Amino acid sequence: MSDADPILLELYRHRFEGVADEMGGTLQRTSYSPNIKERLDFSCAVFDEEGRLVAQAAHIPVHLGAMPASVAAALESVDAWAPGDIVILNDPYEGGTHLPDVTMVSPVFVANNDTPTFFAASRAHHADVGGMTPGSLPLATELVQEGLVIPPVKLYEEGSPNESVLRLLLRNVRTPEERRGDLSAQRAAHAVGERRLQDLAATHGAEEVTAYAHHLQTYSERRVRAALAEWPNGTYAFEDTLELADDTSATIRVTAMIGETSVAFDFDGTDPADDGNLNAVLPITESACYYAVQGLVGSDMPMNAGSLVPVSVHAPEGSIVNADPPHAVAGGNVETSQRIVDTVLGALAEALPTRVPAAGQGTMNNVTIGGTRADGSSFAYYETIGGGMGASAEADGLSGVHVHMTNTLNTPIEALEQAYPFRVVAYRLRDGSGGGGKHRGGDGLVREYEVLVPVTVTMLSTRRTEGPWGRDGGDPGAPGRNVLVHPNGQEEVLPAHFSRRLPVGSRLRIETPGGGGFGQPYAGSSN
């Protein structure tokens, strides 16, 4: 492969990222559900002919290492691709993460080639895919209880829908028309990605376009290795705990081994997989490690397969960070991923003490609410709620934001109340919940819902017993609280994980954790 022109390299970086961005814009605008349209709970990416990541839009970090696994599973399941094919999957043990995250993979043919030159991929969190409770994040003990499991299968073949597969999918969810609309939106995003990549090849030549896809991967690997060469070589360990549904906890342990131009993470000693749903499959653990490294080597680094090469991950099979079938995994993607990041950053803090912040809220505060409207139609709502960001050596943490593995927005109250039979009666910062220190942790949020029809509510959350840790003498952030206000006004503190049937007039108040503080406060300071 000839040397890359540096100007063309930068142009192609933005061209490929632009394709993924435009796919995401199409998915957002054409989707039906507030979860995708308003919260932007999706990711889009471009892969090369071998299924290696070329560019991923700046969407959801937890999808970083998991999308390549989905593409690999799709490629393995298809003997021969044709234009118009689309593979769909959500099986966590065949390239997925948890069941609500539905992935599509499609080939892109250019220059009359007989085999695909690129692949387009999208992953969107669908607000319901069946299972025990609305929202498909139940307190399950095995995967099949969580919803419909979709192995890699063609949903479209040569442009024609597989009506039998589609009927099967829609028959097993609570909101079939919303699901149909969101699946169509993903397909529309793929059509846009295909056109843009074909336009690039038609304008600049297929040979140049594919060459620069590979140049970008080589460049990213070189950049990451150069950044890692500046880290102090050595072995650094850390552990953190994760609250489980039975009021016990699991310990996640990691050893970070920094070499000359690489870093390896070994989770040996981490507790076994749980009987509940907080188990993470290996791609989730890899995503958390990639995210932590990516954040520390520089935000301007092109994110692709090359940037992942210098990072290796070992997690014992059957552990809570590398679960095996038939373990439930709904919470692993959203809660355990956050704790893995905290643990990895805790280890790297020993090597990079001024660059690693205190712990952020460490949870996504997942709430699902579902039931039946007055007109008899079903609804399912899903939300993750922001909290406090950990303070750093240079600044206070931000308040009321999503941190680490989630990168979504909140659902605007106007959109929520228009779409669902409940209202938001409070939404504010949780003053004083950030940990004290030379630099304060960010404050969490308070979000309170009042239900207008009988509903089933399920909550997956952590950092309810112990708050996010501070750094260098900083105080921990305040733990979160889940509070049910009964129709008679009586308050009941709920556990971190629960599923309840609530009558009309009930209010659910979620108080999210604050971020940890950094450094000893100045003498006489109110921090």
Side-chain angles (χ1 to χ4, degrees):
M1 185 185 299
S2 61
D3 291 338
D5 178 276
I7 295 176
L8 281 178
L9 191 68
E10 190 68 10
L11 286 172
Y12 272 102
R13 171 190 174 179
H14 291 284
R15 285 168 177 165
F16 287 124
E17 290 177 355
V19 172
D21 281 333
E22 191 170 352
M23 289 177 63
T26 301
L27 177 51
Q28 177 193 0
R29 291 192 302 272
T30 59
S31 61
Y32 277 42
S33 66
N35 189 56
I36 298 174
K37 184 180 293 292
E38 303 288 354
R39 290 188 59 247
L40 310 186
D41 195 347
F42 61 81
S43 289
C44 296
V46 175
F47 293 79
D48 68 14
E49 74 283 1
E50 296 180 3
R52 298 180 303 169
L53 181 63
V54 175
Q56 179 170 325
H59 292 148
I60 310 295
V62 76
H63 296 164
L64 188 60
M67 291 274 276
S70 297
V71 175
L75 266 61
E76 187 175 345
S77 71
V78 176
D79 293 328
W81 292 92
D85 287 352
I86 296 180
V87 166
I88 186 173
L89 64 97
N90 74 349
D91 188 344
Y93 297 107
E94 285 198 72
T97 51
H98 66 175
L99 298 183
D101 280 348
V102 177
T103 302
M104 288 188 181
V105 180
S106 63
V108 178
F109 293 82
V110 302
N112 296 317
N113 289 342
D114 294 330
T115 57
T117 302
F118 294 102
F119 289 90
S122 68
R123 169 169 288 160
H125 185 113
H126 288 248
D128 187 88
V129 290
M132 293 166 60
T133 58
S136 308
L137 294 178
L139 303 185
T141 57
E142 58 180 334
L143 181 66
V144 294
Q145 296 174 337
E146 296 184 318
L148 181 66
V149 183
I150 310 169
V153 61
K154 285 186 180 180
L155 184 62
Y156 287 84
E157 192 158 6
E158 296 185 27
S160 298
N162 187 331
E163 294 291 352
S164 296
V165 171
L166 188 60
R167 286 180 59 203
L168 178 66
L169 299 182
L170 299 181
R171 187 66 182 87
N172 283 276
V173 301
R174 294 174 176 85
T175 52
E177 290 311 307
E178 186 177 87
R179 300 285 66 74
R180 184 192 299 273
D182 286 345
L183 291 171
S184 296
Q186 284 186 257
R187 186 193 180 204
H190 283 247
V192 168
E194 179 181 26
R195 286 199 303 271
R196 294 297 175 260
L197 289 167
Q198 289 173 340
D199 289 346
L200 277 177
T203 302
H204 304 285
E207 184 176 353
E208 178 179 294
V209 173
T210 54
Y212 272 88
H214 300 147
H215 283 316
L216 275 169
Q217 294 164 338
T218 302
Y219 171 68
S220 291
E221 180 180 352
R222 187 169 66 246
R223 285 276 307 275
V224 172
R225 289 193 184 279
L228 293 175
E230 298 177 0
W231 292 13
N233 291 1
T235 300
Y236 310 91
F238 194 80
E239 64 180 54
D240 208 337
T241 57
L242 180 74
E243 297 144 278
L244 303 177
D246 58 0
D247 294 327
T248 62
S249 63
T251 299
I252 297 175
R253 297 180 175 91
V254 69
T255 300
M257 295 160 284
I258 302 175
E260 293 295 332
T261 61
S262 64
V263 60
F265 298 100
D266 188 347
F267 289 85
D268 194 36
T270 292
D271 282 354
D274 175 47
D275 289 338
N277 70 359
L278 290 175
N279 303 293
V281 292
L282 183 59
I284 293 298
T285 303
E286 292 173 334
S287 289
C289 295
Y290 296 151
Y291 161 78
V293 172
Q294 184 79 6
L296 291 169
V297 300
S299 59
D300 66 334
M301 197 77 66
M303 179 60 230
N304 55 47
S307 60
L308 310 182
V309 172
V311 183
S312 60
V313 179
H314 170 262
E317 188 172 350
S319 68
I320 200 168
V321 294
N322 185 9
D324 49 1
H327 283 103
V329 298
N333 183 65
V334 290
E335 290 299 309
T336 309
S337 65
Q338 294 281 60
R339 194 65 71 256
I340 295 169
V341 171
D342 288 345
T343 309
V344 168
L345 289 177
L348 294 177
E350 298 183 47
L352 305 166
T354 62
R355 296 173 62 182
V356 175
Q361 68 161 338
T363 175
M364 295 191 193
N365 306 292
N366 307 268
V367 57
T368 63
I369 304 175
T372 304
R373 299 180 179 88
D375 64 4
S377 62
S378 297
F379 68 92
Y381 159 83
Y382 172 62
E383 178 96 81
T384 59
I385 304 174
M389 177 185 288
S392 71
E394 299 178 349
D396 294 347
L398 298 177
S399 297
V401 295
H402 286 281
V403 299
H404 295 320
M405 296 304 277
T406 179
N407 190 36
T408 59
L409 304 179
N410 62 189
T411 303
I413 293 171
E414 297 83 355
L416 182 154
E417 294 183 350
Q418 182 181 33
Y420 303 108
F422 49 87
R423 62 169 65 102
V424 176
V425 297
Y427 192 35
R428 61 181 183 272
L429 290 177
R430 189 184 177 200
D431 292 336
S433 56
K438 179 181 178 182
H439 297 293
R440 288 191 60 86
D443 287 335
L445 288 168
V446 176
R447 191 162 168 98
E448 186 169 339
Y449 305 87
E450 181 182 3
V451 301
L452 306 179
V453 297
V455 299
T456 298
V457 175
T458 302
M459 185 89 191
L460 301 181
S461 59
T462 53
R463 295 292 194 208
R464 264 46 184 179
T465 305
E466 297 181 5
W469 39 263
R471 282 219 47 225
D472 206 26
D475 295 331
R481 296 176 77 232
N482 305 325
V483 180
L484 173 61
V485 183
H486 292 274
N488 64 6
Q490 180 182 356
E491 292 194 359
E492 176 187 355
V493 178
L494 299 173
H497 313 285
F498 68 85
S499 187
R500 293 279 289 266
R501 185 71 178 169
L502 302 184
V504 174
S506 302
R507 286 182 286 146
L508 175 65
R509 185 171 71 244
I510 300 165
E511 303 173 8
T512 70
F518 196 107
Q520 294 280 358
Y522 295 114
S525 168
S526 62
N527 282 8

